[in-house]
Amino acid sequence: MSTRPFIAARVEEFIDRRVEGLLRVLGWREKVICYTGYGTSESVRVLGRVVLVPKRARSGLGKATEDLIKRRGFRNFFSTAVVRAAVTITVGDQVVSITTDRGGYIDARIRNHGLEPGWRQVRVRSRTSKVSLADVHVIGDDVDFGLISDIDDTVITTWLPRPMIAAWNSFIRDESARQAVPGVARMYQALLAEHLGAPVVYISTGAWNTHGFLSRFLKRHGFPAGAMLLTDWGPTNTGWFRSGVAHKADTLLQLTRDFPRISWVLVGDDGQHDPVTYANFANVAPDRVRAIAIRQLSPTEQVLAHGTTTVLPEEQQAAADTPWVVAPDGRGLLAGLRALPDVL
């Protein structure tokens, strides 16, 4: 069996390199986009991407226009990766050199970082870029509670997959025009207030390109800050597209390795695969799941999610010996979780 990447991945890298070369000739410059990461006393995970961006406009009107366009959804999906870029990450007095992958992405684990628990920043730069600051949430060794949250239809209403509305929401509207699921932000705030220092990790099958939009949306609607673990659309080393279900399952297992002392409350919705994904995880690692909280979509949302007004039979799976709460909004889910003995 060949160890070479799938042909689509090789074609994508070939095209990216040619586009990168052309844009460099036109004067585009490197920029590091940092994503929210996390860590423990042993290591921190630094996430980001190196891309090429055009020179900034000099006039006030030009800058205002760029800022407006940047916040529109379609702008998130047009970026040019810097393939295999050299990057340095500075954590305190420690400087680590890495190379981005073929998509320009940074995913580095820095050990012996010396950072205290809490929100911290590390410095990231490529060979010719300015320094960017990456936020990382360092979790204390005594923390044993955490939240893992889906994003689409769990914290933000998507109205997918109705094509025209989905396209309008994703490519034209900015975060100020999107709606949060009622009560979920207050639910997360209340749970984390009862467990100081505990993390919330947002997991989605959405593209990394939407990280900026999602960060602004969560902040606008009062959701607690937390690491976001998204994915890269397009070819992989083994196939044409990434599996969203596999991405979530792999991420859950990774978090159990990164935080061996934490038992999680898993929050999702019943529109697609969250119930099955969470149930499978709870069956594999029952001691790592405190409870599963599933938001019930309305009949209209169910139709948009999979074409019927009811939950799909395969999505009704439960996990043995794992508390399970179902409600249409955050207020109901919080009440259900608090009613469970010895969970919170």
Side-chain angles (χ1 to χ4, degrees):
M1 182 178 296
S2 173
T3 59
R4 298 182 67 189
F6 185 61
I7 185 172
R10 284 180 275 149
V11 170
E12 181 185 50
E13 181 172 345
F14 175 85
I15 294 173
D16 284 345
R17 287 186 180 276
R18 298 305 180 273
V19 173
E20 177 188 338
L22 174 61
L23 294 181
R24 287 187 185 277
V25 172
L26 295 176
W28 286 39
R29 58 184 176 82
E30 292 183 6
K31 178 180 179 180
V32 177
I33 300 174
C34 292
Y35 306 137
T36 310
Y38 61 84
T40 65
S41 61
E42 296 181 355
S43 69
V44 291
R45 186 179 183 186
V46 181
L47 302 166
R49 194 183 192 194
V50 181
V51 299
L52 289 179
V53 295
K55 293 181 179 179
R56 287 271 325 204
R58 295 185 177 182
S59 68
L61 178 60
K63 292 180 180 179
T65 301
E66 285 184 353
D67 290 339
L68 176 64
I69 292 175
K70 183 171 64 175
R71 298 173 72 89
R72 297 298 170 179
F74 70 87
R75 181 65 174 78
N76 296 324
F77 293 90
F78 292 92
S79 58
T80 300
V82 180
V83 180
R84 318 292 182 186
V87 173
T88 57
I89 302 173
T90 305
V91 185
D93 297 328
Q94 183 179 181
V95 179
V96 178
S97 298
I98 67 164
T99 302
T100 64
D101 65 12
R102 62 180 179 81
Y105 289 99
I106 300 166
D107 188 350
R109 294 177 183 273
I110 313 299
R111 298 187 178 276
N112 304 317
H113 51 76
L115 299 177
E116 294 295 323
W119 282 99
R120 302 289 179 255
Q121 289 186 322
V122 302
R123 297 160 58 89
V124 186
R125 67 170 300 174
S126 68
R127 182 173 54 86
T128 61
S129 74
K130 296 180 180 179
V131 172
S132 296
L133 298 178
D135 293 321
V136 292
H137 191 192
V138 181
I139 310 304
D141 293 338
D142 59 338
V143 175
D144 62 1
F145 176 91
L147 286 171
I148 292 177
S149 172
D150 176 50
I151 295 179
D152 293 338
D153 288 321
T154 301
V155 304
I156 181 173
T157 56
T158 59
W159 298 105
L160 295 173
R162 189 161 46 175
M164 294 304 294
I165 292 181
W168 181 264
N169 285 342
S170 297
F171 291 95
I172 304 299
R173 302 174 80 184
D174 66 15
E175 69 277 359
S176 65
R178 303 293 294 274
Q179 294 181 342
V181 175
V184 176
R186 291 186 179 181
M187 167 188 168
Y188 291 178
Q189 291 171 353
L191 291 177
L192 295 183
E194 297 172 5
H195 300 83
L196 297 180
V200 55
V201 180
Y202 300 95
I203 302 177
S204 174
T205 57
W208 279 113
N209 307 62
T210 62
H211 184 277
F213 157 78
L214 291 172
S215 296
R216 295 191 299 270
F217 176 89
L218 294 174
K219 183 176 181 180
R220 171 182 286 270
H221 291 277
F223 285 90
M228 271 189 284
L229 303 178
L230 310 178
T231 189
D232 179 28
W233 290 357
T236 70
N237 287 336
T238 57
W240 287 99
F241 298 104
R242 284 164 173 76
S243 166
V245 175
H247 164 68
K248 283 191 175 180
D250 292 343
T251 300
L252 290 171
L253 291 175
Q254 182 62 61
L255 289 172
T256 65
R257 292 191 287 268
D258 290 334
F259 299 104
R261 300 176 182 84
I262 292 181
S263 182
W264 303 89
V265 173
L266 310 179
V267 187
D269 64 84
D270 64 3
Q272 290 290 339
H273 305 292
D274 288 346
V276 170
T277 301
Y278 288 169
N280 289 340
F281 176 67
N283 287 327
V284 170
D287 59 325
R288 311 307 298 280
V289 181
R290 289 174 179 261
I292 297 173
I294 297 296
R295 183 215 166 201
Q296 294 172 306
L297 271 61
S298 68
T300 300
E301 290 173 314
Q302 292 287 358
V303 170
L304 296 175
H306 50 70
T308 70
T309 59
T310 59
V311 179
L312 294 175
E314 60 268 26
E315 301 304 324
Q316 297 176 328
Q317 178 178 349
D321 301 324
T322 299
W324 192 282
V325 174
V326 179
D329 55 30
R331 182 179 180 181
L333 291 175
L334 179 59
L337 288 171
R338 284 180 167 165
L340 296 173
D342 303 324
V343 170
L344 303 182

